[in-house]
Amino acid sequence: MKITDHIKNAKGKTLFSFEIIPPVKGHQIQQLYDNIDPLMDFKPPFIDVTTSREEYVYIDRDGLLDKKLTRMRPGTVGICASIKHKYNVDTVPHVLCGGFTREETEYLLVDCHYLGIDNIMALRGDAMKDEKYFQPTKGGHAYAVDLVKQVHELNCGNYLHDTVETDNCADFCIGVAGYPEKHLEAPSLKSDLKRLKEKVDAGADYVVTQMFFDNKKYFQFVEEAKKMGINIPIIPGIKPIAVKRHLQLLPQVFRIDLPQDLIDAVDDCASNKEVRQVGIEWAIQQSKELKAAGVPVLHYYSMGKSDNIKAIAEEIF
Ligand code: FAD
């Protein structure tokens, strides 16, 4: 079922969802199931599965380093299919511009359609690890809006190189990313919102936000988005702080601000076990306020470990 239909059917009740990352290749999918199992008690209507960018590895061949391109966490669509059928839950594969040609994207979408996947999250992807800026893949898209357009065209039966007469068109519900504190490359929040509006006009059905730790930022973002004519659901993304290093890492990677009270509380912790607890309590307060404000879904970034998400969900759902 489409995410937008799940939201409609909930009739104003806030839903619970979460995002997982595929295991490093060679590891077992059972580890993923062990983390999903405890969260199924909270009846998520959908689970997102991220896609990782490819990266360069250097292989020593008799003293000479051979540079090879590899993807450390492949398997997004396969994981979506296995979770969908094991738990009878909708899954949302993250589809990236970076690392994929348009043709590869088309084949991936065709696979999703055959597997009964009804939703996809259309993203540009970040720069590769050893690149300073995002470089579009040869034959791929430069911006998420172009990927949204491709999915929208496919929904109309217009494949890249042929129009297919069919009574079995895909009908993907399309999610896109939004940034309450603006995307790190955007010159201003307003110009980033204009880009978001372009994604909506191209066919996006809902937005999931980047993590934020101050709800005011989300509420202002939603208000500004509405003023700009963005009238689709904007789902807040919540990440509980888990280790002290997040204080440096999250602002550095995502260019987001952390509230001083949260920084002080984390600074006062003697161990990462205490930090994890502070992260849980902060996310509970955030979630309570967002739920009271009537957000459609609370979407949690689980990063593969579910104990903290379970502790939060127990207080909220
Ligand atoms: P875009 O919407 O293309 O925007 C990127 C930048 O370009 C913005 O600054 C925007 O303002 C600007 N821009 C957009 N259109 C134009 C234009 N036509 N001309 C000039 N500038 C333009 N990354 C992963 O690698 N894997 C994942 O699974 C993943 N999941 C994510 C899930 C969520 C909910 C979020 C919020 C992010 C996720 N990301 C993921 C990170 C995402 O790929 C990065 O934030 C990326 O840098 C931008 O992606 P986007 O889809 O927002 O890009």
Side-chain angles (χ1 to χ4, degrees):
M1 196 197 285
K2 292 182 174 192
I3 305 300
T4 44
D5 288 334
H6 281 296
I7 292 173
K8 262 183 226 143
N9 293 348
K11 297 194 172 79
K13 190 173 157 251
T14 301
L15 300 168
F16 164 79
S17 72
F18 61 96
E19 180 171 306
I20 55 168
I21 52 177
V24 174
K25 69 183 160 205
H27 289 242
Q28 290 175 7
I29 196 166
Q30 186 58 42
Q31 294 169 350
L32 214 51
Y33 296 153
D34 292 344
N35 276 297
I36 294 172
D37 285 344
L39 299 180
M40 294 316 288
D41 291 348
F42 306 102
K43 303 199 172 12
F46 63 93
I47 299 171
D48 275 53
V49 184
T50 64
T51 293
S52 65
R53 277 303 308 262
E54 71 281 28
E55 55 190 273
Y56 284 110
V57 288
Y58 296 87
I59 300 160
D60 190 343
R61 297 207 196 281
D62 300 327
L64 288 175
L65 290 182
D66 208 357
K67 191 178 176 187
K68 293 282 177 203
L69 205 53
T70 188
R71 206 175 286 274
M72 301 307 280
R73 294 174 183 271
T76 299
V77 172
I79 289 169
C80 281
S82 70
I83 294 174
K84 180 176 165 61
H85 294 290
K86 180 173 164 63
Y87 295 100
N88 192 22
V89 65
D90 279 303
T91 46
V92 187
H94 289 194
V95 180
L96 302 184
C97 303
F100 296 90
T101 64
R102 291 173 177 81
E103 284 77 9
E104 285 165 340
T105 298
E106 181 167 289
Y107 306 145
L108 185 149
L109 293 170
V110 169
D111 281 344
C112 289
H113 185 41
Y114 287 144
L115 289 165
I117 290 168
D118 295 325
N119 305 276
I120 69 112
M121 184 78 187
L123 299 150
R124 188 196 69 177
D126 282 318
M128 280 168 62
K129 264 187 194 149
D130 52 1
E131 281 174 358
K132 206 156 184 205
Y133 302 104
F134 176 86
Q135 302 283 349
T137 298
K138 194 163 177 268
H141 296 299
Y143 295 107
V145 66
D146 304 316
L147 175 56
V148 174
K149 284 178 189 162
Q150 182 177 0
V151 182
H152 182 72
E153 283 301 314
L154 195 118
N155 280 348
C156 301
N158 299 326
Y159 290 72
L160 287 172
H161 307 304
D162 30 26
T163 299
V164 177
E165 287 290 331
T166 175
D167 54 1
N168 183 33
C169 268
D171 187 17
F172 291 111
C173 176
I174 308 170
V176 290
Y179 301 84
E181 298 179 61
K182 89 171 183 67
H183 181 258
L184 57 110
E185 293 161 29
S188 71
L189 183 58
K190 191 166 178 195
S191 84
D192 204 26
L193 272 164
K194 278 190 186 164
R195 299 303 183 188
L196 180 59
K197 177 73 165 62
E198 286 169 7
K199 292 193 272 192
V200 176
D201 292 344
D205 296 294
Y206 70 100
V207 178
V208 181
T209 75
Q210 182 58 279
M211 66 184 78
F212 56 89
F213 294 89
D214 177 353
N215 286 349
K216 264 194 247 120
K217 303 251 165 83
Y218 169 81
F219 293 131
Q220 280 164 4
F221 178 69
V222 172
E223 211 170 287
E224 291 303 317
K226 278 196 182 132
K227 277 189 208 156
M228 215 162 255
I230 297 172
N231 292 311
I232 57 175
I234 301 182
I235 298 173
I238 312 280
K239 178 180 167 55
I241 294 256
V243 289
K244 221 166 207 177
R245 212 162 69 87
H246 278 158
L247 288 190
Q248 283 78 43
L249 206 64
L250 300 180
Q252 190 191 348
V253 175
F254 302 109
R255 309 284 160 80
I256 49 170
D257 280 344
L258 300 181
Q260 194 58 45
D261 287 352
L262 176 58
I263 298 169
D264 292 343
V266 171
D267 271 341
D268 287 346
C269 292
S271 66
N272 274 334
K273 194 171 169 218
E274 285 181 30
V275 174
R276 212 166 170 81
Q277 192 52 36
V278 166
I280 289 170
E281 282 159 21
W282 191 273
I284 289 173
Q285 292 316 315
Q286 269 196 285
S287 304
K288 279 186 177 165
E289 192 184 19
L290 290 163
K291 190 179 176 200
V295 299
V297 184
L298 285 165
H299 184 73
Y300 295 92
Y301 297 115
S302 86
M303 307 308 290
K305 294 249 173 73
S306 62
D307 61 310
N308 51 356
I309 308 297
K310 181 176 160 64
I312 298 160
E314 273 167 351
E315 293 292 322
I316 307 296
F317 294 96

